[in-house]
Amino acid sequence: MSGTTNSEELAPVYDPKALERRIYARWEERGYFHEEPDPARPAYVICMPPPNVTGRAHLGHGSTYTPMDVMTRYHRMLGDNAVWLPGLDHAAIATEAVLLKEMAREGLTREALGRPAYLERAWAWARTYGGTIDAQFATLGFGPDWARKRFTMDDGLSAAVRKVFVQLYREGLIYRGKRLVNWDPKGQTTVSDAEVDHVEREATLWHVRYPGQDGGEGIVVATTRPETILADVAIAVHPQDERYRALIGTKVLVPPLRERAIPVIADEAVDRGFGTGAVKVTPAHDATDYEIGLRHGLPAPSVIDLQARITDAEIGAGPYAGLDRFEARSRIVEDLRVAGLLAAQEAYRHAVSVSERTGDVIEPLLSEQWFCRMTPLAKPALDAYREGRLRFVPERHGRTYEAWLENIRDWNVSRQVWWGHQIPAWYTPDGSIVVAETEEEARAIALRDHGGAELVRDTDTLDTWFSSGIWPFSILGWPQHSTELACWYPSQVLMTGGDIIFLWVARMVMLGIHFMGEVPFPDVFVAPTVFDAQGRKMSKSLGNAIDPMDLVERYGADAFRIGILRQMRIESQEIRFHESRCDEARKFANKIWNAVRYALALAEGLPAPLVLPENARLTIADRWILTRLHDTIVEFSRLLDGYDFGNATESIVRFFWYELCDWYLEATKEPGNAATRASVLSFALNNALRLLHPIAPFVSEELWLALPHDGATIMTATWPDPLEVPVDRDAAALFAMVQATVERLRNERAENGIADRVRAAIGVPAGKADWRGLADLVLHFAWGNPAQGDRSGDTPAEFLAGFAVRADPAAHAARLHKEAARLRGEVARAEKNLANPQFVAKAAEDVVAKEREKLQGYRTELARAESALAAMKEHR
RNA sequence: GGGCGGUUAGCUCAGUGGGAGAGCGCUUCCUUGACACGGAAGAGGUCAUAAGUUCAAUCCUUAUACCGCCCACCA
């Protein structure tokens, strides 16, 4: 634990590649990521959103997973029982798509292979590719407790899924029924409402005439889906629509076949203003129509099958049977035209339902499926939000969460894919349903209730989001009463992208409250979506996708992390990702690398870690940087607590680079500051590196170990405590004055083109010996022939104001004129304000006082500038 | 159709009811005991537009325009 200084010298140039791999291996080897539940300490738990088994690291992980790593590392250093729980999702539809494609190349189908062989193959595939993303995460420096990694299809998690299903079924919250569902023909499965995208597309609105059965004109309806005409069971008009009142109750013939007659009915759901004001009713293929059908007791024949082809299995489809839905559409339109039944057609832009996963156009179909009743589950989830037990950052996501839950509909949970949790439901020969956690239990129930143990299992699997919905407790061993479950449920925050608030977050809240009695996390942090620099979505097809692994290769993981964190704005819904930010971050790492090299090379050597000289010996510069360190610790911690990663990163970079390096480190080169510099510099660097560690874990570790330090790794070093950093506001203000003076002198020097480096001695007024340090500091920073000035004054400010650069008089005068003009403007503004009785009467007292002070200051400065100008004239 | 966010320097974005900021880019200068992957100085903005509230508006309110996100069963 002694202050061992690394004897090896750091290389002059920071090379992340060499050190990141080595450091990560050591962390893992020594088990630093691992944590055991400890009720004695505050828990800090983050459940990692399990990436898909098919997944690869992408920039989205940068904005959602980096913050999780940051927060876990931060809280570990705070001394919390901090753990980041990793996992992997079986991603049913995505994985099955990959597998089927792979099998197709071998001429294989799922059915030909059979379920057991297929699942074996799927497992083998999952085992082979499931670890890829973990290695990528490690490359990014992510440190979850790998030993606790869970897969949604693990035995334990699968048992939990079955238990949840069975319990919900027995509580009447899961049921089986024939409903209109979203059928994805390409994926050959149903998908939930939340997995359907609405995409605006150009389409055609056809006006189709349905001739009257009595030989009359009949009625014209507008439709975008002529192929479903075949399954029409009625024409609906608004009950108050005068145009059609006479037709209500009559019958019209379904074109183009004209083999069936259907009634004209009245329903309030019809919008008189749209199209012709008459709508065809096709209950089996449209949600609105389904509702109308229910209200009027209409039949609901299907005319489209699971392959999205026209079928005559339930109703006559004439020559169209067997055609693909889109082919049937054009054929029917053509036949209508020929028959003179196409009254009109117009271009029409509308939203088409598309499967989020496969992109295929969703076919609403009537189908026997499993559903989860949502209203009873949504109520407590809404209450949790409204009562503040669940909070969103940024808050606006809470309002969309609320709106979604208020209008939630039952969740179709069964899928027709094979890769997933097979629904624990069995059917007796007479069709009775038996739901049980195991087959044995199911047989026992069947024997008891149905007089026989002959059972056939439901072939469907559960929606992937069903198993991830119970993730926060299933991974902790539920339903077993584990120590992990006791200590680590609920977790502290869920961090994710906005795209899965409904799919995942809301369901975790509902199921977490239902099964565990409390919300799974009090905070939900929603990261912005990452776009390219032009604001376009990153996609392979656009060719604008950036592989984070490439960025790590070029800039290092730390630079990637800093680069993306720095672009995160808490209220922003997007990040326009600029790779240049990673390059800057690499330069930043190089900068602090060299700052540490400088410290290590100090002739006097560095003392034991975190030991400061006695207070009286501290210089102005020391006091300033320590005060700034104190403030940075407070600010940085506060920003992290508020998930404001952009500003947090900004603040630590600013401190490190623009204050510690540009000013303090330079100040230590001034001889008057040499006595205390080693310990103060070591102290400041040590603290700043610890602040930096959560966001740039590798370089902070390497440099911290190179400096005097306590402990084996920065990962478990304590978080900087502002109370241990001495603060001296007066000294800090004095140093700020020195900075302002230096900046003024540098400006004068640059504008006068003075490049020579004459270091002048400067006198200090009698009795002001303690100003010697200020003068020396100014000279050190701004040496460039400072000679003029009165070198007097009663205050440091006046003394410093006397510094000037010996310059070309004309240039100096021009500068003074410019300065005087600016000051006159400020004086006028302040005077006008103060002369306004309304201002003095109504503005806050401190504002008025401050305004007077400012005015005073401006007047003093102006007077000085004017007298300087006058002096110049006299001089001539 | 409903809801929400954004509009500040060439670019990406902070910020505040009272003296417009950062980084990058640009111009100029500088190898000074860590760093040229560096240091210094500078130019550049009527804070989208209009009205209102206020002693005072880039900031609060309303409207408009443009950009974007989410939700939605008008066929």
Side-chain angles (χ1 to χ4, degrees), chain A residues 577-624:
Chain A
F577 186 79
H578 285 253
E579 193 176 316
S580 59
R581 294 304 223 155
C582 297
D583 194 39
E584 287 165 33
R586 185 178 53 88
K587 290 173 177 169
F588 167 69
N590 186 63
K591 184 77 182 175
I592 62 174
W593 180 272
N594 278 289
V596 170
R597 280 183 68 219
Y598 170 80
L600 291 173
L602 287 178
E604 66 269 33
L606 299 177
L610 303 179
V611 176
L612 284 175
E614 54 182 293
N615 208 279
R617 294 179 58 215
L618 293 174
T619 66
I620 295 291
D622 292 337
R623 290 163 198 267
W624 170 77

Side-chain angles (χ1 to χ4, degrees), chain A residues 70 73 77 558 561-562 565 585 588-589 592-593 632 636 640 648-656 684-701 703 714 719-720:
Chain A
V70 169
R73 288 177 183 275
M77 292 175 79
D558 286 328
R561 295 165 62 118
I562 293 172
L565 287 171
F588 167 69
I592 62 174
W593 180 272
T632 304
F636 187 70
L640 280 191
T649 307
E650 206 65 44
S651 88
I652 185 66
V653 168
R654 188 184 308 125
F655 173 75
F656 234 128
L685 284 168
N686 188 310
N687 275 279
L689 286 168
R690 279 182 283 148
L691 290 180
L692 185 67
H693 178 255
I695 66 179
F698 294 116
V699 70
S700 56
E701 172 81 312
L703 296 177
I714 196 173
W719 190 249

Side-chain angles (χ1 to χ4, degrees), chain A residues 81-108:
Chain A
N81 187 207
V83 67
W84 186 17
L85 300 167
L88 193 63
D89 193 289
H90 65 283
I93 297 179
T95 307
E96 184 141 317
V98 172
L99 282 166
L100 293 180
K101 205 170 161 188
E102 190 183 278
M103 283 161 53
R105 282 198 291 271
E106 300 164 31
L108 277 172

Side-chain angles (χ1 to χ4, degrees), chain A residues 818-836 839 850-866:
Chain A
K818 191 179 160 193
E819 178 70 3
R822 182 187 71 87
L823 288 166
R824 271 189 282 271
E826 295 291 2
V827 167
R829 190 194 53 75
E831 278 176 343
K832 187 183 157 202
N833 248 349
L834 288 164
N836 180 353
F839 172 73
K850 198 178 158 200
E851 195 67 19
R852 289 211 171 91
E853 253 176 66
K854 283 194 300 192
L855 176 59
Q856 191 54 44
Y858 292 139
R859 278 178 173 154
T860 310
E861 283 182 59
L862 180 59
R864 186 159 31 232
E866 281 172 339

